[in-house]
Amino acid sequence: MMQAVAQVGQWLGLGGSIVANLFNPRLIVIGGYFASLAQWLLPHAQDQLQRLVVAVPAAQCRFVASTLGFGAASRGAASMVVNRIIDDPKTIMDSLPRPTAY
C-alpha cells in the first residue's frame, strides 16, 4: 500500500510541476482524500516537484495540506453566491422566472 501511495505522490508532483512551471504559485494546496494522506503523499510529491520544475522561482513552490475538510469547496461556492447577492441584491431577482400573463 505504501508503494501505491508513493506513486500517487509522484503523480501529484508531476502535475504540480506543470502548474508551477506555468503559473509559478508559491503553494499548491491538496484537499479532500489527498489531505488525509498528506504525511505520506507530500514528501514524494515535493521531491518530484523539485526535480521537474524548470524555472528557479518555480522551485520555491511547495505542497501543503488543507485543514478545511471535505466541505471547503461547497462552503467556498456558497460564500461566492452570498457575497454576490450582498453586493447586488437585485441579482437574485434577475435570475428568477417571471410570471406569464394569461
Side-chain angles (χ1 to χ4, degrees), residues 13-79:
L14 172 64
S17 71
I18 294 168
V19 170
N21 285 323
L22 289 173
F23 301 110
N24 193 22
R26 292 197 184 266
L27 292 175
I28 298 174
V29 181
I30 303 300
Y33 291 108
F34 293 115
S36 61
L37 297 171
Q39 65 181 342
W40 299 285
L41 285 174
L42 296 189
H44 300 286
Q46 192 66 44
D47 288 344
Q48 190 78 333
L49 174 74
Q50 296 303 314
R51 204 172 16 257
L52 296 174
V53 291
V54 177
V56 174
Q60 305 294 323
C61 183
R62 63 188 177 93
F63 283 97
V64 294
S66 172
T67 58
L68 299 177
F70 285 98
S74 57
R75 284 193 305 264
S79 73

Side-chain angles (χ1 to χ4, degrees), residues 75-89 91:
R75 284 193 305 264
S79 73
M80 288 181 66
V81 171
V82 169
N83 287 338
R84 183 173 175 195
I85 292 170
I86 289 172
D87 290 343
D88 186 8
T91 300

